[in-house]
Amino acid sequence: ASGLARIWGRIDLPDYGLRVYLGVPADRVAGPTLANLRTQALVSMLALGAAFFVAILLVRGITRSMSLLSEGLDAAAAGDTVALPPSAPPEVRAVVTQLNRALQERRQAEASEREARERMQDILENAVFGICVTTAEGRFTQVNRAMVRMLGYESGADLLAAPLERLYVDPTAPAAMAAACDAAGVVEDHDLQLLARDGRPVRVRIQGKLRTRRSGERGFELIVEDVTEQHALEGLTRHQQKMEAVGRLAGGIAHDF
């Protein structure tokens, strides 16, 4: 009748034969609750907004960090020192420091390896004896300057390009060399005849080893000594000794006569 929205409650009093109805205005009951809910909702919205803002900042920071790390990795892959922006997060600074340290160590290792390789190459190229690497069939795959000079070629490339039949006096020489290897694949003091570029035979004495490479291909690593003159001198000495023996025999026969 009053026009107010009410929340009604009822209680029975049987001892008195009464039923009591009570109507409390709705705003008296729901008002504080609604106000509390509105306050909580506002606080929750503010908290969510703050969390969202912080999340955006974190995502931007993570994205920037990942971008810096990606640029650093690209620079490291190219061998360049990784630049460190002043505003980089501590985590990125730590990673970049490790990358630069690893790059420095890699450069030092590469420089040492390059120096050792150059030193070894210089030793091989200036060796007095011929040094070569061949396939199991006897084709040259690597030679030094002494080997090139020994066979009369103008360059190592020319010698490497020479066909197999132009390298050996006896085509079965590589097979004989393999047969001369011991159980460990080592060949020592094995004599054979190579062919020089002009076709003259070159008698050599080889020391080396038969190896199996990572690819599974077998080949020789050899030190080659030119013994052509030595062999000729030995032949001359043997001839002189033979002539001396014949002379002594002839002298003895003449004395007997």
Side-chain angles (χ1 to χ4, degrees):
S2 64
L4 294 175
R6 296 177 181 271
I7 296 176
W8 293 90
R10 186 189 74 184
I11 185 172
D12 294 330
L13 302 174
D15 294 339
Y16 300 96
L18 298 176
R19 177 175 291 173
V20 180
Y21 292 90
L22 177 65
V24 181
D27 57 351
R28 296 290 186 89
V29 177
T33 303
L34 292 175
N36 189 24
L37 288 174
R38 283 194 293 268
T39 302
Q40 291 181 359
L42 180 60
V43 172
S44 299
M45 291 181 64
L46 290 175
L48 287 174
F52 184 71
F53 180 73
V54 171
I56 290 177
L57 293 179
L58 288 175
V59 169
R60 287 184 177 179
I62 293 173
T63 303
R64 177 170 175 74
S65 299
M66 295 301 294
S67 177
L68 290 173
L69 286 177
S70 178
E71 293 175 0
L73 290 174
D74 291 340
D80 300 328
T81 302
V82 182
L84 186 63
S87 59
E91 295 82 1
V92 176
R93 287 177 174 273
V95 173
V96 169
T97 301
Q98 293 293 332
L99 283 175
N100 286 333
R101 184 179 295 114
L103 279 174
Q104 184 178 3
E105 292 175 355
R106 188 180 74 177
R107 287 172 181 168
Q108 292 175 350
E110 288 177 349
S112 299
E113 182 182 358
R114 183 168 54 252
E115 182 180 354
R117 189 184 301 113
E118 291 173 355
R119 185 166 59 251
M120 184 60 64
Q121 186 67 27
D122 186 64
I123 292 173
L124 292 176
E125 287 298 324
N126 294 299
V128 177
F129 296 108
I131 298 175
C132 65
V133 178
T134 74
T135 63
E137 294 77 20
R139 184 181 302 277
F140 292 114
T141 59
Q142 187 176 351
V143 293
N144 68 342
R145 281 197 290 262
M147 194 74 193
V148 174
R149 290 193 299 268
M150 185 187 303
L151 297 180
Y153 283 83
E154 295 181 358
S155 66
D158 292 338
L159 178 53
L160 296 182
L164 197 61
E165 60 271 12
R166 296 290 303 275
L167 297 176
Y168 301 92
V169 173
D170 183 0
T172 64
M177 185 167 56
C181 293
D182 59 16
V186 176
V187 55
E188 294 183 354
D189 296 331
H190 182 73
D191 288 356
L192 58 83
Q193 285 186 300
L194 298 175
L195 279 175
R197 186 177 185 179
D198 57 7
R200 61 183 173 84
V202 179
R203 183 173 291 274
V204 297
R205 182 169 296 143
I206 62 172
Q207 318 277 342
K209 189 168 186 179
L210 179 63
R211 292 186 179 274
T212 301
R213 301 182 179 86
R214 292 181 180 178
S215 61
E217 183 183 2
R218 304 179 72 195
F220 291 98
E221 296 175 358
L222 303 173
I223 297 176
V224 184
E225 179 186 4
D226 186 353
V227 294
T228 303
E229 293 184 2
Q230 178 183 347
H231 186 268
L233 290 175
E234 290 175 354
L236 181 59
T237 301
R238 287 194 298 270
H239 180 70
Q240 290 176 347
Q241 292 173 349
K242 186 185 299 183
M243 294 304 295
E244 289 177 359
V246 171
R248 286 194 298 269
L249 177 61
I253 294 174
H255 181 269
D256 291 340
F257 275 108

